[in-house]
Amino acid sequence: MLDTFIDITLLAFLTITAIAIIKVRDLFVVIMLFSIFSLHSAGLFVVMDAADVAFTEAAVGAGISTVLMLATLALTKDHDEKRPAHKARLPLLVVLITGAALVYGTYDIPSFGDPDAPAQAHVKPYYIEQSMRETGVPNTVTAVLASYRGYDTLGEVTVIFTAGIGVMLLIGGRLTRKRDKEDDR
Amino acid sequence: MIFTVATFAILVTISLGLARALMGPTVYDRILAVNMVGTKTVLLIAVFAVLSGRTNMIDIALTYALINLVGVVAVLKFVEQGNFYTDGEDD
């Protein structure tokens, strides 16, 4: 009961924040609202008992991406988004149709926590029975993400690390030179 | 009972913080509003963890508090200096 109430309230906050993000033209305010959006979704994930997803959402969504977007804003001159000249009727139509198709698609997927769903039938009993003994992690999702899928996570981290080095070489070098010039004055 | 009341109170506080973030008018109003929404999310997770008996969630609430602090410090550094690469000591 309380779960449902928190869900509905947080989803309402999410909707309000999303509409405000579309309406507001000051990019700094948009970044602040993005941060609030991430915090609301992280709260929702916690209510759904998805601890890892909530954790990632808070660290990446509210933490890192806010800083990254602010850093981008610092490199640009114009802090106000230009008002678009044309009305976005066709994109709105496409989005509405796609959204309706996706909602229609959700009627065929099993309901939340359905024990007869295909995803629960094949490997899940093995994880529920064996993951505690094999990995010693109490949360099954964490056991799958951090232990059974450990190599996959390692690969992802390597990719992100490489991308980070690339970005630092491209952008960081320019900033250092600018700083040297400022020191010379 | 008291935790249910606390949950309602936290949700009301989040809505107030959201309203301040939407209305502004100054940059600092919005930063404070974001910080408050973050803090209330930490509280909401902690209260919800106790309510539902999943007390391992409290660790997540603690980490949220840390991330929230780092985020607000980064935002304030940006507002104060306009970039992230000067240390702010030399002007």
Side-chain angles (χ1 to χ4, degrees):
Chain A
M1 176 57 207
L2 192 66
D3 289 28
T4 322
F5 181 77
I6 298 177
D7 271 347
I8 291 173
T9 320
L10 284 179
L11 283 172
F13 289 163
L14 272 186
T15 318
I16 295 169
T17 318
I19 292 173
I21 287 172
I22 299 171
K23 289 284 176 197
V24 169
R25 293 286 151 190
D26 185 337
L27 289 178
F28 179 80
V29 179
V30 170
I31 294 174
M32 292 292 93
L33 289 175
F34 266 131
S35 180
I36 292 182
F37 190 92
S38 291
L39 288 168
H40 287 331
S41 9
L44 271 176
F45 293 143
V46 168
V47 177
M48 285 192 274
D49 204 10
D52 299 86
V53 187
F55 191 69
T56 316
E57 179 66 39
V60 177
I64 302 293
S65 14
T66 308
V67 175
L68 279 181
M69 283 194 277
L70 279 175
T72 316
L73 196 61
L75 291 175
T76 56
K77 283 183 189 132
D78 208 358
H79 287 196
D80 274 340
E81 188 185 349
K82 298 244 181 344
R83 200 164 281 280
H86 62 283
K87 291 264 193 294
R89 290 229 174 79
L90 183 66
L92 185 65
L93 189 71
V94 172
V95 167
L96 281 179
I97 291 173
T98 317
L102 287 175
V103 171
Y104 176 71
T106 61
Y107 286 115
D108 274 347
I109 64 174
S111 60
F112 185 66
D114 184 2
D116 297 327
Q120 325 275 31
H122 296 291
V123 289
K124 200 181 172 190
Y126 176 82
Y127 285 134
I128 288 176
E129 285 158 19
Q130 305 293 328
S131 70
M132 186 63 194
R133 192 177 57 80
E134 285 184 352
T135 65
V137 181
N139 188 318
T140 313
V141 179
T142 313
V144 173
L145 272 180
S147 183
Y148 292 109
R149 273 186 51 187
Y151 277 116
D152 190 57
T153 309
L154 181 68
E156 283 169 13
V157 172
T158 313
V159 168
I160 292 170
F161 183 63
T162 317
I165 292 176
V167 170
M168 278 180 74
L169 284 174
L170 286 172
I171 297 178
R174 198 172 71 85
L175 287 182
T176 319
R177 275 202 301 280
K178 204 199 270 176
R179 202 154 137 202
D180 289 345
K181 237 183 267 169
E182 277 169 6
D183 288 347
D184 291 343
R185 271 185 294 179
Chain B
M1 179 62 199
I2 187 153
F3 287 113
T4 317
V5 175
T7 311
F8 281 105
I10 290 168
L11 285 176
V12 169
T13 320
I14 290 181
S15 70
L16 292 176
L18 188 60
R20 182 47 72 198
L22 294 182
M23 289 193 294
T26 68
V27 166
Y28 299 103
D29 284 321
R30 297 184 203 274
I31 295 172
L32 197 61
V34 171
N35 192 17
M36 202 179 88
V37 171
T39 320
K40 295 315 151 210
T41 310
V42 172
L43 287 182
L44 184 68
I45 293 168
V47 170
F48 187 76
V50 176
L51 256 182
S52 57
R54 299 191 284 249
T55 39
N56 56 336
M57 292 273 189
I58 290 178
D59 292 346
I60 298 174
L62 284 175
T63 325
Y64 270 38
L66 293 175
I67 291 168
N68 201 21
L69 174 78
V70 173
V72 170
V73 168
V75 172
L76 287 173
K77 193 168 158 69
F78 169 77
V79 170
E80 186 77 15
Q81 300 163 17
N83 62 56
F84 285 120
Y85 54 87
T86 53
D87 54 10
E89 298 287 328
D90 50 5
D91 51 32

